[in-house]
Amino acid sequence: MRQKLLRTLLAIVAGIAAHNASAQETSDLEIGLGPPIKLLRTDHDGLDIKIDGHLNEAIWQGIQPVGQMKVTKPDTLADVPYATDIRIFYTERGLYVSFDLEQPEDTIVERFVARDEFNVSRDRIDFTLDTSGDGRYGYWMGLSLGDSQMDGTILPERQYGVTWDGAWYGATQRTERGWSAEFYVPWSQMAMPKADSGRRIGIRSSRFVATLGEDWGWPALTETQPRFISRFQQLELENVDPRQNWSIFPYASATLDNVSDDTRYKAGMDLFWRPSSNFQLTGTVNPDFGSVESDNVVVNLTADETFFPEKRLFFQEGREIFQLSGRRGDGRQQPITVLNTRRIGGRPREVELPPGVELSDREELKSANIITAAKATGQIGAFRYGLLAAFEDDTNYTADDNLRYSQDGRDFGAFRILYEDSAGAAYRGLGWITTLVAHPEADAMVHGTDFHYLSTSGKWKIDGQALFSDRDETGTGKGGTADVTYTPRQGLRHEFRATLLDDTIDVNDLGFQTRNDTNEYQYQANWNKSGLKKIRDFQLSPFARYAVNGDGYTTTSVIGTSGALTFNNLFKINGFLVHLPPRFDDRNSFGNGTFELRKRMRGELNFNTDYSKRVSFFGKVGFADEAVYGTSIDTKIGAAWRPRHNLSMRLQADHSDKDGWLLHQEDQNFTTFQAKQWQPELNLEYFINSKQQLRLAMQWVGIRATEDRFYTLPTDDTGLVEGPKPPGETDDFSISQLNFQIRYRWQIAPLSDLFIVYTKGDKERTGLQSFDELFRDNWNNPLGDQLVIKLRYRLGS
């Protein structure tokens, strides 16, 4: 079976390569890329314009539209049915961009959404600026009809992020022709290299038409082309001198805790200062990173840590410079990163307690408070740099002996420098980073160097990083990653990855890595085809992974393929099928040995209907062979209902039926379980207007597991041996985890918000209970039950 699958996948890859061997790179003419455009410049003080979405000012009427959009997703590069007139001018203080969008009224989809929300299908327009002028970094801003904002950053070559919230201005309006959008972006909000007089910046605009399910772009750069930011349309500017910019964000918050029956008050501030276009200093004093954003509910019983993304504004801003590679994680793998700012203000080091003394679950979940933090980012010529420092307060605990115990806070630091140029290539980069975590009990330091290369044609892209860790507790370790991407033509890409980590490297004090002691190799091909008769676009991605640890055991062995189909009615199907030959697990015995897993198969099929409709449906069915016997079946069904442009509801339910679920118990003992898992989720959003949002969200996971068979792992063997149940109580268990939140947000002004958030949550592992008992216990006796009121207001230039 394995050999047949391997031959089939290799034949597919060979066929794709042969079919496309003679294809040529997309030309400048095809993507609409022309010579540099010299923009109109006017004085800011004499400008009479209001950013309201109405393009009725005289200055707009006197500017010729630029660009011609093409269909970029699917990547047909076909002509578009509706016109998009783009007009641009600038002053010494900022850039003005307008869009006059032709569209029949009965096809317009207007929906209010939260900032940076992409999962709701609606008409929107955005543009990306390469403010470096040579493809090093940039920013993007967007509006959907109804004034919902989106923004973020971009790094080479197509690494979009939403970690930047800028103080820019924008508005939309319906028109007789369709709708319109108007933007004003102050130069002071964006990093730019220093220039004496003239400079160039790049631009690319994108439009999404929901009823067609299409992305249009100018220049017409698709996701399947090898180059992106380095092929933006160039704009010529003169005498752009961004003013010194400063902002102070004072805040005040009150937390009413219903579990401890007390009220806590906090006040502090964030500070941003940009004295020039190529330097920014940010700081925070007594920050409040309260529960205004919540993580998804995840039940993880494995030895591998779950990665949660950063959601705190201070640490999101400007963090792009600290990224070494594109290893951000995907559906199959966790990321590898030297700087994971979720560690700052996270769980403190474990406090030392006298024998027999324990902390309650609520005390164990305490996070450290941050006293202050500061960050500086800038650019000097071809060098960009960043510095970060943060300091935690001591954390106090009350144990079950009613005595107080304290754990010292940690100090964090990071230094980053990156050299970039385009000599003989579209992009080259070489960087260095050092991070430090200092604590009275132990210090940890990590050094890393990274390299990046993109060929002039864009066909070859190479990224890599070499890492060295030095921890007082475990000594030194080293490792590295290398990623090579070959894109011979639009629609075809080959990816090769290697990860080499010794058994002592550990970057987790301030970074994130799932494991060490591994040599892992991966290959994946991505083939996209569009413009078919009955299928709008098609994607096929065969892949293979192999990893071995330092003892010579194969810890990963996977071969399979994933695929996706989008039909002309926007009905979508995607899924994967993988074969896993026998391998060894050296992690999930939690330090009690390595054990062998049988050969297995896994598969999944997902579907969703047209998300632009008022009612849409989605679901999945999947299977996974378990470690020693049995198969688990996973299903999901859900629906989204949007009766009005400002009201939406999304309801889904996941169910898993596990047969032979293998879990470690203690020492060399394992148990398999017959288990059922339910995971319902509800999201309800109502917008009073585009600036005021009321959101109700609930996630709950309930698991009931009954013991089935019992295994031991011999000390001198890797085979699990089935035997009688060890003495002791039953291994049956239940798990319940709840996250319930009601949140009101009012955006009073750009980057100024009022939050009122009620949160209830808990995670509990108990003896066997019914699902309704689990939910009631979670709801009636939560570890967290609080109301947070927080006001944050921006003062500045």
Side-chain angles (χ1 to χ4, degrees):
M1 179 66 176
R2 179 175 60 185
Q3 289 80 3
K4 185 176 180 180
L5 278 172
L6 178 60
R7 288 195 298 270
T8 301
L9 290 172
L10 290 176
I12 291 172
V13 174
I16 293 171
H19 178 74
N20 297 285
S22 61
Q24 301 296 316
E25 184 180 358
T26 308
S27 68
D28 289 352
L29 183 62
E30 288 177 287
I31 67 172
L33 187 65
I37 298 173
K38 188 169 184 177
L39 295 181
L40 171 69
R41 183 188 186 278
T42 187
D43 291 334
H44 193 88
D45 291 338
L47 185 63
D48 182 18
I49 191 169
K50 181 179 180 181
I51 305 300
D52 56 6
H54 292 294
L55 310 182
N56 51 9
E57 289 87 359
I59 192 167
W60 289 128
Q61 312 308 316
I63 297 175
Q64 288 296 317
V66 297
Q68 177 63 48
M69 287 196 166
K70 300 282 188 178
V71 177
T72 57
K73 188 175 183 180
D75 60 349
T76 60
L77 299 182
D79 292 335
V80 299
Y82 315 136
T84 304
D85 294 340
I86 308 168
R87 294 176 171 88
I88 312 171
F89 74 92
Y90 70 103
T91 72
E92 71 277 12
R93 295 188 186 177
L95 184 73
Y96 290 82
V97 185
S98 74
F99 298 88
D100 187 1
L101 304 128
E102 180 188 39
Q103 190 169 342
E105 184 177 357
D106 60 353
T107 69
I108 291 177
V109 179
E110 178 182 4
R111 285 174 182 151
F112 288 171
V113 295
R115 187 165 190 155
D116 299 336
E117 173 61 66
F118 283 92
N119 294 325
V120 177
S121 180
R122 78 278 188 196
D123 292 328
R124 62 178 186 266
I125 188 75
D126 64 72
F127 62 95
T128 304
L129 297 175
D130 168 21
T131 56
S132 73
D134 55 7
R136 301 185 195 183
Y137 56 84
Y139 303 83
W140 65 272
M141 310 94 193
L143 289 169
S144 56
L145 183 57
D147 296 351
S148 297
Q149 292 184 320
M150 304 167 289
D151 54 10
T153 59
I154 182 173
L155 294 175
E157 184 67 21
R158 193 184 281 103
Q159 297 183 62
Y160 274 101
V162 293
T163 59
W164 174 76
D165 286 341
W168 53 274
Y169 303 84
T172 63
Q173 296 288 343
R174 286 181 181 259
T175 67
E176 292 183 0
R177 191 184 188 209
W179 63 287
S180 59
E182 194 173 23
F183 294 80
Y184 167 58
V185 186
W187 298 122
S188 59
Q189 291 297 305
M190 301 176 291
M192 304 173 72
K194 194 168 183 60
D196 294 331
S197 56
R199 71 168 73 233
R200 287 184 179 182
I201 64 173
I203 190 171
R204 187 215 182 226
S205 61
S206 176
R207 177 180 178 183
F208 179 73
V209 182
T211 53
L212 300 178
E214 292 181 348
D215 283 301
W216 304 345
W218 169 75
L221 301 168
T222 72
E223 294 180 358
T224 59
Q225 291 171 353
R227 292 179 61 182
F228 191 70
I229 188 174
S230 59
R231 297 196 78 189
F232 279 13
Q233 174 65 51
Q234 292 290 295
L235 306 177
E236 291 186 348
L237 311 176
E238 295 289 341
N239 299 318
V240 170
D241 185 20
R243 299 191 312 164
Q244 177 175 284
N245 173 260
W246 61 270
S247 299
I248 298 177
F249 296 84
Y251 83 88
S253 69
T255 302
L256 290 71
D257 195 315
N258 296 319
V259 176
S260 59
D261 194 25
D262 67 353
T263 302
R264 300 183 298 275
Y265 300 95
K266 287 194 72 174
M269 68 178 66
D270 296 337
L271 305 98
F272 293 79
W273 179 48
R274 187 188 292 277
S276 64
S277 64
N278 60 347
F279 178 77
Q280 177 172 297
L281 179 65
T282 62
T284 182
V285 179
N286 196 31
D288 176 29
F289 299 131
S291 301
V292 296
E293 294 281 357
S294 58
D295 293 316
N296 290 329
V297 170
V298 177
V299 175
N300 182 3
L301 301 182
T302 72
D304 295 335
E305 180 184 3
T306 301
F307 178 80
F308 291 103
E310 180 61 83
K311 297 184 177 183
R312 300 169 295 183
L313 178 62
F314 173 82
F315 291 112
Q316 286 184 327
E317 294 280 2
R319 72 175 184 177
E320 298 80 20
I321 182 60
F322 296 98
Q323 295 176 357
L324 268 68
S325 76
R327 292 286 185 95
R328 299 186 180 187
D330 52 33
R332 293 185 294 272
Q333 285 187 288
Q334 300 275 39
I336 299 176
T337 178
V338 173
L339 183 64
N340 172 29
T341 52
R342 286 294 294 260
R343 305 292 187 196
I344 304 172
R347 294 275 189 90
R349 289 176 60 92
E350 186 175 350
V351 64
E352 186 175 345
L353 300 173
V357 177
E358 295 183 350
L359 299 176
S360 67
D361 291 341
R362 182 176 169 84
E363 290 290 299
E364 285 187 346
L365 293 175
K366 274 188 173 181
S367 297
N369 287 323
I370 301 174
I371 302 172
T372 186
K375 179 171 48 184
T377 57
Q379 179 177 350
I380 302 175
F383 291 90
R384 287 195 292 143
Y385 61 88
L387 297 98
L388 171 68
F391 306 91
E392 291 179 343
D393 199 358
D394 298 343
T395 304
N396 297 314
Y397 300 91
T398 301
D400 58 5
D401 60 359
N402 292 322
L403 296 179
R404 292 172 64 87
Y405 298 88
S406 181
Q407 176 58 279
D408 295 316
R410 297 162 294 185
D411 299 334
F412 300 88
F415 167 72
R416 166 73 163 154
I417 189 167
L418 176 64
Y419 173 81
E420 300 166 298
D421 70 21
S422 55
Y427 176 79
R428 300 190 309 174
L430 180 65
W432 178 271
I433 191 170
T434 293
T435 66
L436 172 67
V437 180
H439 189 271
E441 296 176 5
D443 296 341
M445 182 175 288
V446 173
H447 305 287
T449 184
D450 58 312
F451 52 90
H452 311 273
Y453 171 80
L454 179 68
S455 66
T456 303
S457 67
K459 293 183 177 181
W460 288 99
K461 183 176 185 291
I462 302 173
D463 297 286
Q465 57 184 344
L467 307 175
F468 177 83
S469 65
D470 186 358
R471 306 179 71 245
D472 289 347
E473 295 171 306
T474 59
T476 61
K478 59 183 181 297
T481 68
D483 302 333
V484 179
T485 301
Y486 175 56
T487 309
R489 66 150 199 107
Q490 176 182 322
L492 179 62
R493 184 171 68 250
H494 302 275
E495 299 177 0
F496 306 87
R497 287 187 172 188
T499 304
L500 308 177
L501 304 174
D502 71 12
D503 60 353
T504 54
I505 185 171
D506 188 348
V507 304
N508 278 325
D509 293 273
L510 188 49
F512 186 93
Q513 69 181 86
T514 303
R515 63 164 299 153
N516 53 21
D517 189 22
T518 185
N519 291 341
E520 181 174 321
Y521 308 93
Q522 305 173 59
Y523 166 76
Q524 178 171 313
N526 296 281
W527 179 49
N528 293 267
K529 185 67 176 177
S530 57
L532 305 176
K533 288 185 178 180
K534 295 185 179 180
I535 297 175
R536 197 193 73 167
D537 55 79
F538 168 75
Q539 182 184 72
L540 183 67
S541 300
F543 58 88
R545 288 176 56 200
Y546 176 80
V548 60
N549 67 11
D551 294 326
Y553 290 111
T554 300
T555 56
T556 299
S557 183
V558 180
I559 184 169
T561 187
S562 63
L565 292 171
T566 302
F567 295 90
N568 291 329
N569 64 356
L570 302 187
F571 185 90
K572 298 182 181 180
I573 298 175
N574 66 79
F576 66 85
L577 180 66
V578 299
H579 172 65
L580 299 95
R583 69 173 182 90
F584 296 88
D585 190 326
D586 61 350
R587 298 274 298 162
N588 289 303
S589 68
F590 294 86
N592 290 284
T594 299
F595 57 96
E596 187 174 4
L597 307 179
R598 65 172 180 147
K599 65 178 181 180
R600 296 165 293 150
M601 294 287 292
R602 290 184 60 202
E604 185 175 288
L605 185 66
N606 300 268
F607 80 90
N608 65 264
T609 61
D610 182 359
Y611 282 138
S612 71
K613 303 297 185 183
R614 290 183 180 271
V615 179
S616 58
F617 301 93
F618 55 93
K620 80 168 183 181
V621 60
F623 74 94
D625 291 337
E626 293 292 346
V628 290
Y629 71 89
T631 301
S632 294
I633 304 297
D634 300 322
T635 55
K636 175 171 70 176
I637 189 69
W641 180 45
R642 302 177 183 89
R644 295 174 53 84
H645 68 279
N646 61 342
L647 177 64
S648 66
M649 183 176 71
R650 180 184 174 96
L651 178 65
Q652 71 179 58
D654 295 64
H655 178 262
S656 294
D657 192 343
K658 300 179 182 292
D659 174 24
W661 187 21
L662 181 71
L663 294 175
H664 175 258
Q665 299 302 304
E666 69 283 316
D667 300 328
Q668 276 78 34
N669 296 323
F670 294 77
T671 301
T672 58
F673 294 87
Q674 302 294 316
K676 294 185 181 299
Q677 174 176 319
W678 279 101
Q679 185 169 344
E681 183 176 336
L682 170 67
N683 284 278
L684 179 65
E685 288 186 312
Y686 173 69
F687 288 83
I688 301 170
N689 53 49
S690 65
K691 307 301 181 185
Q692 296 187 72
Q693 175 199 25
L694 182 64
R695 179 174 184 262
L696 182 150
M698 188 196 73
Q699 287 182 301
W700 179 70
V701 177
I703 300 175
R704 296 182 73 250
T706 57
E707 60 186 16
D708 188 26
R709 302 182 192 177
F710 309 94
Y711 297 85
T712 58
L713 178 60
T715 56
D716 57 351
D717 198 358
T718 58
L720 294 174
V721 179
E722 186 175 358
K725 175 178 172 56
E729 298 180 355
T730 178
D731 292 333
D732 295 351
F733 69 91
S734 297
I735 291 179
S736 179
Q737 184 168 351
L738 171 71
N739 190 338
F740 176 82
Q741 186 179 85
I742 299 176
R743 185 180 73 171
Y744 169 77
R745 180 181 182 179
W746 177 22
Q747 184 181 333
I748 304 168
L751 303 184
S752 301
D753 301 278
L754 170 67
F755 288 97
I756 303 176
V757 184
Y758 172 71
T759 305
K760 178 181 285 193
D762 191 8
K763 180 177 181 180
E764 185 177 9
R765 179 164 180 160
T766 67
L768 202 61
Q769 291 182 283
S770 65
F771 285 111
D772 61 328
E773 289 174 328
L774 284 172
F775 183 82
R776 286 200 306 270
D777 285 351
N778 246 180
W779 184 265
N780 295 325
N781 302 288
L783 291 178
D785 187 348
Q786 63 182 23
L787 177 68
V788 177
I789 302 173
K790 179 179 178 180
L791 175 63
R792 181 176 184 263
Y793 197 83
R794 177 179 181 265
L795 304 171
S797 58

